Amino acid sequence: MKWISCSSYEDLSRRAADMLLHTIREDPHAVVGLPTGRTPVGMYERVVHECSREYHCFRDVHTFNLDEYIGISRGHPGSYFSYMKKHLFDHVDISPDNAHIPDGTAADLGLECARYEDAIRRAGGLQVTFLGLGRNGHIGFNEPGTPFASRTRVVDLHESTRLANADLFGGGQVPTRAITMGIATILESRAIVLLAGGSGKEDAIKRLQSRIIDESFPASVLWRHDNVTVLAAV
Ligand code: GLP
């Protein structure tokens, strides 16, 4: 694990954006895993800014988001579909067919999870996946206790996770379930970049640094991967 201590949130965002831009400049057909949450907002801002000066930045890039809520429409302001449109997709030339997000409104959610895994495989697998870090160590929506062998599936959200994300629902009800890529799905990405920043993350970052690998702290599994970069700023 390559650990980079960032001097500020801006520094973290700049480094993360540079890594994403490097990936898609090196390989304009790159397949990239993308996160949501507050932490990556600065990364997306910078990527959008840089891409506004480049021709066909995202034209042939494929993206796969880590997760999506169940029980709200895609147009709901709290959905990750809306988040991605607002922070990235509406501002770059990505083809809607290449911008994948699990469909939390699918009639058959089990089928949707299998379809998502299949779409990642058919695209050639994830090259680089960017992750945020939940305060309880979750990655995607893989909450503590998730088996490391898990694949894309429907999960119940912890109360603490719903609370942490409540402000993104403007006081409304945070959904109780989501679809998330599994831990094994994430680990198959050839490279992983963990964005570990923001208030309330100090304990999670310390626990990750302890190197103790345990299912009670999902992010700890990243020690088992041979190409992980952590960008840490608290
Ligand atoms: C949500 C997302 C995660 C994200 C986490 C941390 O639960 N599903 O993928 O990493 O929040 O979010 P934030 O960056 O807002 O702290």
Side-chain angles (χ1 to χ4, degrees), residues 20 23-24 27-34 57-65 88-89 94-101 116 119-120 122-129:
L20 177 48
T23 303
I24 64 179
D27 179 2
H29 292 84
V31 181
V32 184
L34 292 179
C57 219
F58 271 84
R59 190 186 61 179
D60 301 312
V61 172
H62 287 251
T63 63
F64 287 88
N65 267 81
L88 183 67
F89 296 157
I94 194 162
S95 150
D97 292 344
N98 294 349
H100 305 268
I101 303 183
Y116 205 66
I120 295 173
R122 276 188 291 113
L126 300 165
Q127 254 160 276
V128 185
T129 298

PDB file of all heavy atoms in Angstrom, residues 20 23-24 27-34 57-65 88-89 94-101 116 119-120 122-129:
ATOM      1  N   LEU A  20      -6.679  10.280 -11.925  1.00  0.00           N
ATOM      2  CA  LEU A  20      -7.787   9.934 -12.828  1.00  0.00           C
ATOM      3  C   LEU A  20      -7.486  10.432 -14.250  1.00  0.00           C
ATOM      4  O   LEU A  20      -7.644   9.693 -15.235  1.00  0.00           O
ATOM      5  CB  LEU A  20      -9.104  10.524 -12.288  1.00  0.00           C
ATOM      6  CG  LEU A  20     -10.371  10.337 -13.102  1.00  0.00           C
ATOM      7  CD1 LEU A  20     -10.561   8.904 -13.570  1.00  0.00           C
ATOM      8  CD2 LEU A  20     -11.590  10.741 -12.273  1.00  0.00           C
ATOM      9  N   THR A  23      -4.874   8.334 -15.936  1.00  0.00           N
ATOM     10  CA  THR A  23      -5.428   7.054 -16.395  1.00  0.00           C
ATOM     11  C   THR A  23      -6.108   7.205 -17.753  1.00  0.00           C
ATOM     12  O   THR A  23      -5.889   6.403 -18.662  1.00  0.00           O
ATOM     13  CB  THR A  23      -6.475   6.533 -15.361  1.00  0.00           C
ATOM     14  OG1 THR A  23      -5.845   6.433 -14.097  1.00  0.00           O
ATOM     15  CG2 THR A  23      -7.044   5.189 -15.771  1.00  0.00           C
ATOM     16  N   ILE A  24      -6.928   8.240 -17.909  1.00  0.00           N
ATOM     17  CA  ILE A  24      -7.707   8.351 -19.150  1.00  0.00           C
ATOM     18  C   ILE A  24      -6.907   8.990 -20.293  1.00  0.00           C
ATOM     19  O   ILE A  24      -7.263   8.847 -21.450  1.00  0.00           O
ATOM     20  CB  ILE A  24      -9.069   9.064 -18.932  1.00  0.00           C
ATOM     21  CG1 ILE A  24      -8.898  10.513 -18.503  1.00  0.00           C
ATOM     22  CG2 ILE A  24      -9.911   8.308 -17.919  1.00  0.00           C
ATOM     23  CD1 ILE A  24     -10.234  11.260 -18.305  1.00  0.00           C
ATOM     24  N   ASP A  27      -4.851   5.880 -21.491  1.00  0.00           N
ATOM     25  CA  ASP A  27      -5.724   4.931 -22.177  1.00  0.00           C
ATOM     26  C   ASP A  27      -7.109   5.559 -22.322  1.00  0.00           C
ATOM     27  O   ASP A  27      -7.932   5.500 -21.408  1.00  0.00           O
ATOM     28  CB  ASP A  27      -5.826   3.625 -21.375  1.00  0.00           C
ATOM     29  CG  ASP A  27      -6.751   2.634 -22.072  1.00  0.00           C
ATOM     30  OD1 ASP A  27      -7.272   2.943 -23.160  1.00  0.00           O
ATOM     31  OD2 ASP A  27      -6.951   1.535 -21.511  1.00  0.00           O
ATOM     32  N   PRO A  28      -7.372   6.159 -23.483  1.00  0.00           N
ATOM     33  CA  PRO A  28      -8.672   6.833 -23.683  1.00  0.00           C
ATOM     34  C   PRO A  28      -9.863   5.873 -23.584  1.00  0.00           C
ATOM     35  O   PRO A  28     -10.994   6.322 -23.479  1.00  0.00           O
ATOM     36  CB  PRO A  28      -8.559   7.421 -25.081  1.00  0.00           C
ATOM     37  CG  PRO A  28      -7.095   7.478 -25.364  1.00  0.00           C
ATOM     38  CD  PRO A  28      -6.479   6.326 -24.621  1.00  0.00           C
ATOM     39  N   HIS A  29      -9.598   4.543 -23.590  1.00  0.00           N
ATOM     40  CA  HIS A  29     -10.685   3.564 -23.433  1.00  0.00           C
ATOM     41  C   HIS A  29     -10.696   2.975 -22.025  1.00  0.00           C
ATOM     42  O   HIS A  29     -11.263   1.895 -21.811  1.00  0.00           O
ATOM     43  CB  HIS A  29     -10.535   2.428 -24.454  1.00  0.00           C
ATOM     44  CG  HIS A  29     -10.766   2.864 -25.867  1.00  0.00           C
ATOM     45  ND1 HIS A  29      -9.774   3.444 -26.630  1.00  0.00           N
ATOM     46  CD2 HIS A  29     -11.870   2.830 -26.646  1.00  0.00           C
ATOM     47  CE1 HIS A  29     -10.268   3.747 -27.822  1.00  0.00           C
ATOM     48  NE2 HIS A  29     -11.536   3.382 -27.864  1.00  0.00           N
ATOM     49  N   ALA A  30     -10.110   3.669 -21.085  1.00  0.00           N
ATOM     50  CA  ALA A  30      -9.977   3.127 -19.721  1.00  0.00           C
ATOM     51  C   ALA A  30     -11.331   2.787 -19.103  1.00  0.00           C
ATOM     52  O   ALA A  30     -12.354   3.393 -19.429  1.00  0.00           O
ATOM     53  CB  ALA A  30      -9.257   4.144 -18.845  1.00  0.00           C
ATOM     54  N   VAL A  31     -11.304   1.801 -18.216  1.00  0.00           N
ATOM     55  CA  VAL A  31     -12.502   1.391 -17.460  1.00  0.00           C
ATOM     56  C   VAL A  31     -12.221   1.739 -15.996  1.00  0.00           C
ATOM     57  O   VAL A  31     -11.312   1.186 -15.383  1.00  0.00           O
ATOM     58  CB  VAL A  31     -12.763  -0.125 -17.611  1.00  0.00           C
ATOM     59  CG1 VAL A  31     -14.014  -0.528 -16.851  1.00  0.00           C
ATOM     60  CG2 VAL A  31     -12.867  -0.499 -19.095  1.00  0.00           C
ATOM     61  N   VAL A  32     -13.005   2.670 -15.475  1.00  0.00           N
ATOM     62  CA  VAL A  32     -12.682   3.265 -14.180  1.00  0.00           C
ATOM     63  C   VAL A  32     -13.838   3.094 -13.192  1.00  0.00           C
ATOM     64  O   VAL A  32     -15.000   3.327 -13.550  1.00  0.00           O
ATOM     65  CB  VAL A  32     -12.399   4.786 -14.374  1.00  0.00           C
ATOM     66  CG1 VAL A  32     -11.976   5.425 -13.070  1.00  0.00           C
ATOM     67  CG2 VAL A  32     -11.332   5.005 -15.439  1.00  0.00           C
ATOM     68  N   GLY A  33     -13.542   2.709 -11.978  1.00  0.00           N
ATOM     69  CA  GLY A  33     -14.551   2.634 -10.916  1.00  0.00           C
ATOM     70  C   GLY A  33     -14.612   3.970 -10.183  1.00  0.00           C
ATOM     71  O   GLY A  33     -13.568   4.539  -9.864  1.00  0.00           O
ATOM     72  N   LEU A  34     -15.826   4.466  -9.949  1.00  0.00           N
ATOM     73  CA  LEU A  34     -15.946   5.810  -9.367  1.00  0.00           C
ATOM     74  C   LEU A  34     -16.790   5.845  -8.092  1.00  0.00           C
ATOM     75  O   LEU A  34     -17.796   5.139  -7.978  1.00  0.00           O
ATOM     76  CB  LEU A  34     -16.562   6.762 -10.396  1.00  0.00           C
ATOM     77  CG  LEU A  34     -15.703   7.096 -11.614  1.00  0.00           C
ATOM     78  CD1 LEU A  34     -16.454   8.033 -12.543  1.00  0.00           C
ATOM     79  CD2 LEU A  34     -14.367   7.717 -11.207  1.00  0.00           C
ATOM     80  N   CYS A  57     -12.116  14.150 -23.839  1.00  0.00           N
ATOM     81  CA  CYS A  57     -11.529  13.662 -22.588  1.00  0.00           C
ATOM     82  C   CYS A  57     -12.112  12.298 -22.185  1.00  0.00           C
ATOM     83  O   CYS A  57     -11.403  11.357 -21.892  1.00  0.00           O
ATOM     84  CB  CYS A  57     -11.838  14.679 -21.515  1.00  0.00           C
ATOM     85  SG  CYS A  57     -10.550  14.986 -20.348  1.00  0.00           S
ATOM     86  N   PHE A  58     -13.435  12.216 -22.164  1.00  0.00           N
ATOM     87  CA  PHE A  58     -14.121  11.021 -21.659  1.00  0.00           C
ATOM     88  C   PHE A  58     -14.837  10.244 -22.761  1.00  0.00           C
ATOM     89  O   PHE A  58     -15.595   9.336 -22.472  1.00  0.00           O
ATOM     90  CB  PHE A  58     -15.159  11.425 -20.598  1.00  0.00           C
ATOM     91  CG  PHE A  58     -14.602  11.486 -19.196  1.00  0.00           C
ATOM     92  CD1 PHE A  58     -13.946  12.615 -18.737  1.00  0.00           C
ATOM     93  CD2 PHE A  58     -14.731  10.408 -18.332  1.00  0.00           C
ATOM     94  CE1 PHE A  58     -13.438  12.672 -17.438  1.00  0.00           C
ATOM     95  CE2 PHE A  58     -14.231  10.445 -17.044  1.00  0.00           C
ATOM     96  CZ  PHE A  58     -13.584  11.585 -16.600  1.00  0.00           C
ATOM     97  N   ARG A  59     -14.629  10.607 -24.038  1.00  0.00           N
ATOM     98  CA  ARG A  59     -15.477  10.063 -25.096  1.00  0.00           C
ATOM     99  C   ARG A  59     -15.537   8.534 -25.096  1.00  0.00           C
ATOM    100  O   ARG A  59     -16.596   7.949 -25.249  1.00  0.00           O
ATOM    101  CB  ARG A  59     -15.002  10.563 -26.474  1.00  0.00           C
ATOM    102  CG  ARG A  59     -15.993  10.221 -27.567  1.00  0.00           C
ATOM    103  CD  ARG A  59     -15.470  10.567 -28.928  1.00  0.00           C
ATOM    104  NE  ARG A  59     -14.241   9.822 -29.210  1.00  0.00           N
ATOM    105  CZ  ARG A  59     -13.571   9.904 -30.347  1.00  0.00           C
ATOM    106  NH1 ARG A  59     -14.003  10.712 -31.288  1.00  0.00           N
ATOM    107  NH2 ARG A  59     -12.480   9.204 -30.534  1.00  0.00           N
ATOM    108  N   ASP A  60     -14.400   7.881 -24.901  1.00  0.00           N
ATOM    109  CA  ASP A  60     -14.375   6.412 -24.967  1.00  0.00           C
ATOM    110  C   ASP A  60     -14.121   5.755 -23.609  1.00  0.00           C
ATOM    111  O   ASP A  60     -13.857   4.565 -23.536  1.00  0.00           O
ATOM    112  CB  ASP A  60     -13.301   5.965 -25.970  1.00  0.00           C
ATOM    113  CG  ASP A  60     -13.596   6.535 -27.357  1.00  0.00           C
ATOM    114  OD1 ASP A  60     -14.739   6.423 -27.814  1.00  0.00           O
ATOM    115  OD2 ASP A  60     -12.673   7.128 -27.957  1.00  0.00           O
ATOM    116  N   VAL A  61     -14.186   6.561 -22.551  1.00  0.00           N
ATOM    117  CA  VAL A  61     -13.953   6.021 -21.204  1.00  0.00           C
ATOM    118  C   VAL A  61     -15.236   5.334 -20.716  1.00  0.00           C
ATOM    119  O   VAL A  61     -16.342   5.788 -21.005  1.00  0.00           O
ATOM    120  CB  VAL A  61     -13.566   7.176 -20.233  1.00  0.00           C
ATOM    121  CG1 VAL A  61     -13.510   6.696 -18.789  1.00  0.00           C
ATOM    122  CG2 VAL A  61     -12.242   7.796 -20.669  1.00  0.00           C
ATOM    123  N   HIS A  62     -15.050   4.213 -19.991  1.00  0.00           N
ATOM    124  CA  HIS A  62     -16.184   3.543 -19.346  1.00  0.00           C
ATOM    125  C   HIS A  62     -16.066   3.759 -17.846  1.00  0.00           C
ATOM    126  O   HIS A  62     -14.978   3.583 -17.289  1.00  0.00           O
ATOM    127  CB  HIS A  62     -16.169   2.030 -19.622  1.00  0.00           C
ATOM    128  CG  HIS A  62     -16.554   1.682 -21.009  1.00  0.00           C
ATOM    129  ND1 HIS A  62     -17.749   1.070 -21.307  1.00  0.00           N
ATOM    130  CD2 HIS A  62     -15.914   1.880 -22.185  1.00  0.00           C
ATOM    131  CE1 HIS A  62     -17.821   0.901 -22.612  1.00  0.00           C
ATOM    132  NE2 HIS A  62     -16.722   1.384 -23.169  1.00  0.00           N
ATOM    133  N   THR A  63     -17.155   4.128 -17.206  1.00  0.00           N
ATOM    134  CA  THR A  63     -17.118   4.281 -15.750  1.00  0.00           C
ATOM    135  C   THR A  63     -18.162   3.371 -15.106  1.00  0.00           C
ATOM    136  O   THR A  63     -19.240   3.136 -15.677  1.00  0.00           O
ATOM    137  CB  THR A  63     -17.387   5.738 -15.322  1.00  0.00           C
ATOM    138  OG1 THR A  63     -18.706   6.111 -15.735  1.00  0.00           O
ATOM    139  CG2 THR A  63     -16.380   6.703 -15.921  1.00  0.00           C
ATOM    140  N   PHE A  64     -17.823   2.863 -13.944  1.00  0.00           N
ATOM    141  CA  PHE A  64     -18.745   2.043 -13.157  1.00  0.00           C
ATOM    142  C   PHE A  64     -18.785   2.611 -11.749  1.00  0.00           C
ATOM    143  O   PHE A  64     -17.755   2.612 -11.054  1.00  0.00           O
ATOM    144  CB  PHE A  64     -18.278   0.580 -13.115  1.00  0.00           C
ATOM    145  CG  PHE A  64     -18.491  -0.141 -14.409  1.00  0.00           C
ATOM    146  CD1 PHE A  64     -17.522  -0.114 -15.407  1.00  0.00           C
ATOM    147  CD2 PHE A  64     -19.678  -0.822 -14.658  1.00  0.00           C
ATOM    148  CE1 PHE A  64     -17.716  -0.771 -16.620  1.00  0.00           C
ATOM    149  CE2 PHE A  64     -19.884  -1.478 -15.867  1.00  0.00           C
ATOM    150  CZ  PHE A  64     -18.907  -1.448 -16.849  1.00  0.00           C
ATOM    151  N   ASN A  65     -19.930   3.101 -11.342  1.00  0.00           N
ATOM    152  CA  ASN A  65     -20.036   3.591  -9.974  1.00  0.00           C
ATOM    153  C   ASN A  65     -20.122   2.445  -8.984  1.00  0.00           C
ATOM    154  O   ASN A  65     -20.582   1.351  -9.310  1.00  0.00           O
ATOM    155  CB  ASN A  65     -21.241   4.526  -9.835  1.00  0.00           C
ATOM    156  CG  ASN A  65     -20.826   5.953 -10.042  1.00  0.00           C
ATOM    157  OD1 ASN A  65     -20.683   6.393 -11.182  1.00  0.00           O
ATOM    158  ND2 ASN A  65     -20.569   6.658  -8.959  1.00  0.00           N
ATOM    159  N   LEU A  88     -20.053  15.306 -12.513  1.00  0.00           N
ATOM    160  CA  LEU A  88     -19.156  14.901 -13.610  1.00  0.00           C
ATOM    161  C   LEU A  88     -19.852  14.768 -14.960  1.00  0.00           C
ATOM    162  O   LEU A  88     -19.499  15.459 -15.912  1.00  0.00           O
ATOM    163  CB  LEU A  88     -18.457  13.570 -13.255  1.00  0.00           C
ATOM    164  CG  LEU A  88     -17.436  13.076 -14.275  1.00  0.00           C
ATOM    165  CD1 LEU A  88     -16.225  14.011 -14.335  1.00  0.00           C
ATOM    166  CD2 LEU A  88     -16.965  11.655 -13.964  1.00  0.00           C
ATOM    167  N   PHE A  89     -20.848  13.895 -15.035  1.00  0.00           N
ATOM    168  CA  PHE A  89     -21.345  13.481 -16.352  1.00  0.00           C
ATOM    169  C   PHE A  89     -21.927  14.623 -17.187  1.00  0.00           C
ATOM    170  O   PHE A  89     -21.795  14.625 -18.407  1.00  0.00           O
ATOM    171  CB  PHE A  89     -22.387  12.369 -16.201  1.00  0.00           C
ATOM    172  CG  PHE A  89     -21.850  11.093 -15.601  1.00  0.00           C
ATOM    173  CD1 PHE A  89     -22.694  10.186 -14.961  1.00  0.00           C
ATOM    174  CD2 PHE A  89     -20.496  10.780 -15.657  1.00  0.00           C
ATOM    175  CE1 PHE A  89     -22.205   9.013 -14.409  1.00  0.00           C
ATOM    176  CE2 PHE A  89     -19.988   9.607 -15.104  1.00  0.00           C
ATOM    177  CZ  PHE A  89     -20.853   8.730 -14.477  1.00  0.00           C
ATOM    178  N   ILE A  94     -18.712  12.159 -21.803  1.00  0.00           N
ATOM    179  CA  ILE A  94     -18.902  10.707 -21.644  1.00  0.00           C
ATOM    180  C   ILE A  94     -20.196  10.296 -22.338  1.00  0.00           C
ATOM    181  O   ILE A  94     -21.191  11.050 -22.328  1.00  0.00           O
ATOM    182  CB  ILE A  94     -18.916  10.302 -20.151  1.00  0.00           C
ATOM    183  CG1 ILE A  94     -18.774   8.775 -20.014  1.00  0.00           C
ATOM    184  CG2 ILE A  94     -20.165  10.807 -19.418  1.00  0.00           C
ATOM    185  CD1 ILE A  94     -18.343   8.315 -18.629  1.00  0.00           C
ATOM    186  N   SER A  95     -20.167   9.106 -22.965  1.00  0.00           N
ATOM    187  CA  SER A  95     -21.396   8.620 -23.589  1.00  0.00           C
ATOM    188  C   SER A  95     -22.269   7.997 -22.500  1.00  0.00           C
ATOM    189  O   SER A  95     -21.780   7.220 -21.678  1.00  0.00           O
ATOM    190  CB  SER A  95     -21.022   7.573 -24.639  1.00  0.00           C
ATOM    191  OG  SER A  95     -22.045   6.628 -24.764  1.00  0.00           O
ATOM    192  N   PRO A  96     -23.568   8.328 -22.472  1.00  0.00           N
ATOM    193  CA  PRO A  96     -24.438   7.756 -21.436  1.00  0.00           C
ATOM    194  C   PRO A  96     -24.369   6.229 -21.398  1.00  0.00           C
ATOM    195  O   PRO A  96     -24.522   5.626 -20.343  1.00  0.00           O
ATOM    196  CB  PRO A  96     -25.837   8.239 -21.837  1.00  0.00           C
ATOM    197  CG  PRO A  96     -25.602   9.439 -22.692  1.00  0.00           C
ATOM    198  CD  PRO A  96     -24.270   9.239 -23.366  1.00  0.00           C
ATOM    199  N   ASP A  97     -24.099   5.618 -22.552  1.00  0.00           N
ATOM    200  CA  ASP A  97     -24.003   4.148 -22.588  1.00  0.00           C
ATOM    201  C   ASP A  97     -22.777   3.630 -21.848  1.00  0.00           C
ATOM    202  O   ASP A  97     -22.707   2.456 -21.486  1.00  0.00           O
ATOM    203  CB  ASP A  97     -23.914   3.651 -24.039  1.00  0.00           C
ATOM    204  CG  ASP A  97     -25.210   3.880 -24.777  1.00  0.00           C
ATOM    205  OD1 ASP A  97     -26.233   4.119 -24.107  1.00  0.00           O
ATOM    206  OD2 ASP A  97     -25.187   3.837 -26.023  1.00  0.00           O
ATOM    207  N   ASN A  98     -21.796   4.491 -21.675  1.00  0.00           N
ATOM    208  CA  ASN A  98     -20.551   4.056 -21.023  1.00  0.00           C
ATOM    209  C   ASN A  98     -20.505   4.425 -19.542  1.00  0.00           C
ATOM    210  O   ASN A  98     -19.564   4.069 -18.843  1.00  0.00           O
ATOM    211  CB  ASN A  98     -19.338   4.701 -21.704  1.00  0.00           C
ATOM    212  CG  ASN A  98     -19.156   4.216 -23.120  1.00  0.00           C
ATOM    213  OD1 ASN A  98     -19.804   3.260 -23.535  1.00  0.00           O
ATOM    214  ND2 ASN A  98     -18.287   4.871 -23.866  1.00  0.00           N
ATOM    215  N   ALA A  99     -21.498   5.189 -19.084  1.00  0.00           N
ATOM    216  CA  ALA A  99     -21.499   5.666 -17.694  1.00  0.00           C
ATOM    217  C   ALA A  99     -22.446   4.781 -16.885  1.00  0.00           C
ATOM    218  O   ALA A  99     -23.658   4.983 -16.895  1.00  0.00           O
ATOM    219  CB  ALA A  99     -21.950   7.125 -17.654  1.00  0.00           C
ATOM    220  N   HIS A 100     -21.871   3.796 -16.205  1.00  0.00           N
ATOM    221  CA  HIS A 100     -22.700   2.778 -15.543  1.00  0.00           C
ATOM    222  C   HIS A 100     -22.905   3.087 -14.065  1.00  0.00           C
ATOM    223  O   HIS A 100     -21.946   3.379 -13.353  1.00  0.00           O
ATOM    224  CB  HIS A 100     -22.040   1.411 -15.671  1.00  0.00           C
ATOM    225  CG  HIS A 100     -21.739   1.013 -17.089  1.00  0.00           C
ATOM    226  ND1 HIS A 100     -22.609   0.282 -17.852  1.00  0.00           N
ATOM    227  CD2 HIS A 100     -20.671   1.282 -17.882  1.00  0.00           C
ATOM    228  CE1 HIS A 100     -22.083   0.092 -19.057  1.00  0.00           C
ATOM    229  NE2 HIS A 100     -20.909   0.694 -19.101  1.00  0.00           N
ATOM    230  N   ILE A 101     -24.145   2.982 -13.637  1.00  0.00           N
ATOM    231  CA  ILE A 101     -24.494   3.098 -12.213  1.00  0.00           C
ATOM    232  C   ILE A 101     -25.517   2.002 -11.944  1.00  0.00           C
ATOM    233  O   ILE A 101     -26.439   1.819 -12.762  1.00  0.00           O
ATOM    234  CB  ILE A 101     -25.124   4.483 -11.892  1.00  0.00           C
ATOM    235  CG1 ILE A 101     -24.172   5.608 -12.288  1.00  0.00           C
ATOM    236  CG2 ILE A 101     -25.490   4.581 -10.412  1.00  0.00           C
ATOM    237  CD1 ILE A 101     -24.675   7.005 -11.957  1.00  0.00           C
ATOM    238  N   TYR A 116     -24.859  -6.083 -13.586  1.00  0.00           N
ATOM    239  CA  TYR A 116     -23.794  -5.103 -13.338  1.00  0.00           C
ATOM    240  C   TYR A 116     -22.418  -5.777 -13.341  1.00  0.00           C
ATOM    241  O   TYR A 116     -21.470  -5.297 -13.961  1.00  0.00           O
ATOM    242  CB  TYR A 116     -24.040  -4.406 -12.001  1.00  0.00           C
ATOM    243  CG  TYR A 116     -23.408  -3.041 -11.916  1.00  0.00           C
ATOM    244  CD1 TYR A 116     -23.854  -1.998 -12.729  1.00  0.00           C
ATOM    245  CD2 TYR A 116     -22.356  -2.770 -11.043  1.00  0.00           C
ATOM    246  CE1 TYR A 116     -23.279  -0.738 -12.660  1.00  0.00           C
ATOM    247  CE2 TYR A 116     -21.777  -1.517 -10.971  1.00  0.00           C
ATOM    248  CZ  TYR A 116     -22.238  -0.507 -11.782  1.00  0.00           C
ATOM    249  OH  TYR A 116     -21.666   0.745 -11.718  1.00  0.00           O
ATOM    250  N   ALA A 119     -21.548  -6.577 -16.833  1.00  0.00           N
ATOM    251  CA  ALA A 119     -21.153  -5.396 -17.619  1.00  0.00           C
ATOM    252  C   ALA A 119     -19.694  -5.028 -17.331  1.00  0.00           C
ATOM    253  O   ALA A 119     -18.945  -4.645 -18.233  1.00  0.00           O
ATOM    254  CB  ALA A 119     -22.080  -4.224 -17.299  1.00  0.00           C
ATOM    255  N   ILE A 120     -19.279  -5.151 -16.076  1.00  0.00           N
ATOM    256  CA  ILE A 120     -17.880  -4.850 -15.724  1.00  0.00           C
ATOM    257  C   ILE A 120     -16.959  -5.842 -16.446  1.00  0.00           C
ATOM    258  O   ILE A 120     -15.957  -5.454 -17.053  1.00  0.00           O
ATOM    259  CB  ILE A 120     -17.660  -4.935 -14.189  1.00  0.00           C
ATOM    260  CG1 ILE A 120     -18.459  -3.852 -13.465  1.00  0.00           C
ATOM    261  CG2 ILE A 120     -16.174  -4.814 -13.851  1.00  0.00           C
ATOM    262  CD1 ILE A 120     -18.451  -3.958 -11.939  1.00  0.00           C
ATOM    263  N   ARG A 122     -17.585  -7.596 -19.160  1.00  0.00           N
ATOM    264  CA  ARG A 122     -17.610  -7.399 -20.616  1.00  0.00           C
ATOM    265  C   ARG A 122     -16.795  -6.176 -21.042  1.00  0.00           C
ATOM    266  O   ARG A 122     -16.272  -6.111 -22.139  1.00  0.00           O
ATOM    267  CB  ARG A 122     -19.053  -7.320 -21.132  1.00  0.00           C
ATOM    268  CG  ARG A 122     -19.630  -8.728 -21.372  1.00  0.00           C
ATOM    269  CD  ARG A 122     -20.979  -8.718 -22.048  1.00  0.00           C
ATOM    270  NE  ARG A 122     -22.004  -8.184 -21.158  1.00  0.00           N
ATOM    271  CZ  ARG A 122     -22.647  -7.043 -21.332  1.00  0.00           C
ATOM    272  NH1 ARG A 122     -22.400  -6.301 -22.379  1.00  0.00           N
ATOM    273  NH2 ARG A 122     -23.554  -6.652 -20.460  1.00  0.00           N
ATOM    274  N   ALA A 123     -16.701  -5.196 -20.142  1.00  0.00           N
ATOM    275  CA  ALA A 123     -15.902  -3.995 -20.460  1.00  0.00           C
ATOM    276  C   ALA A 123     -14.401  -4.283 -20.311  1.00  0.00           C
ATOM    277  O   ALA A 123     -13.567  -3.436 -20.618  1.00  0.00           O
ATOM    278  CB  ALA A 123     -16.308  -2.847 -19.537  1.00  0.00           C
ATOM    279  N   GLY A 124     -14.070  -5.479 -19.807  1.00  0.00           N
ATOM    280  CA  GLY A 124     -12.658  -5.834 -19.663  1.00  0.00           C
ATOM    281  C   GLY A 124     -12.149  -5.737 -18.232  1.00  0.00           C
ATOM    282  O   GLY A 124     -10.953  -5.871 -17.976  1.00  0.00           O
ATOM    283  N   GLY A 125     -13.038  -5.453 -17.285  1.00  0.00           N
ATOM    284  CA  GLY A 125     -12.640  -5.352 -15.873  1.00  0.00           C
ATOM    285  C   GLY A 125     -12.211  -3.935 -15.520  1.00  0.00           C
ATOM    286  O   GLY A 125     -11.880  -3.142 -16.399  1.00  0.00           O
ATOM    287  N   LEU A 126     -12.224  -3.653 -14.235  1.00  0.00           N
ATOM    288  CA  LEU A 126     -11.874  -2.304 -13.770  1.00  0.00           C
ATOM    289  C   LEU A 126     -10.362  -2.122 -13.772  1.00  0.00           C
ATOM    290  O   LEU A 126      -9.629  -2.949 -13.251  1.00  0.00           O
ATOM    291  CB  LEU A 126     -12.407  -2.089 -12.346  1.00  0.00           C
ATOM    292  CG  LEU A 126     -13.923  -2.209 -12.175  1.00  0.00           C
ATOM    293  CD1 LEU A 126     -14.292  -2.350 -10.691  1.00  0.00           C
ATOM    294  CD2 LEU A 126     -14.609  -0.988 -12.780  1.00  0.00           C
ATOM    295  N   GLN A 127      -9.926  -1.014 -14.380  1.00  0.00           N
ATOM    296  CA  GLN A 127      -8.488  -0.739 -14.411  1.00  0.00           C
ATOM    297  C   GLN A 127      -8.051  -0.049 -13.125  1.00  0.00           C
ATOM    298  O   GLN A 127      -7.134  -0.461 -12.465  1.00  0.00           O
ATOM    299  CB  GLN A 127      -8.191   0.200 -15.571  1.00  0.00           C
ATOM    300  CG  GLN A 127      -7.511  -0.485 -16.729  1.00  0.00           C
ATOM    301  CD  GLN A 127      -7.696   0.332 -17.969  1.00  0.00           C
ATOM    302  OE1 GLN A 127      -8.722   0.213 -18.634  1.00  0.00           O
ATOM    303  NE2 GLN A 127      -6.723   1.166 -18.305  1.00  0.00           N
ATOM    304  N   VAL A 128      -8.728   1.057 -12.838  1.00  0.00           N
ATOM    305  CA  VAL A 128      -8.458   1.801 -11.606  1.00  0.00           C
ATOM    306  C   VAL A 128      -9.793   2.104 -10.948  1.00  0.00           C
ATOM    307  O   VAL A 128     -10.725   2.565 -11.622  1.00  0.00           O
ATOM    308  CB  VAL A 128      -7.763   3.157 -11.889  1.00  0.00           C
ATOM    309  CG1 VAL A 128      -7.403   3.836 -10.574  1.00  0.00           C
ATOM    310  CG2 VAL A 128      -6.532   2.979 -12.736  1.00  0.00           C
ATOM    311  N   THR A 129      -9.883   1.852  -9.656  1.00  0.00           N
ATOM    312  CA  THR A 129     -11.110   2.183  -8.928  1.00  0.00           C
ATOM    313  C   THR A 129     -10.784   3.165  -7.815  1.00  0.00           C
ATOM    314  O   THR A 129      -9.871   2.935  -7.019  1.00  0.00           O
ATOM    315  CB  THR A 129     -11.766   0.909  -8.361  1.00  0.00           C
ATOM    316  OG1 THR A 129     -12.122   0.078  -9.463  1.00  0.00           O
ATOM    317  CG2 THR A 129     -13.022   1.240  -7.571  1.00  0.00           C
TER     318      THR A 129
END
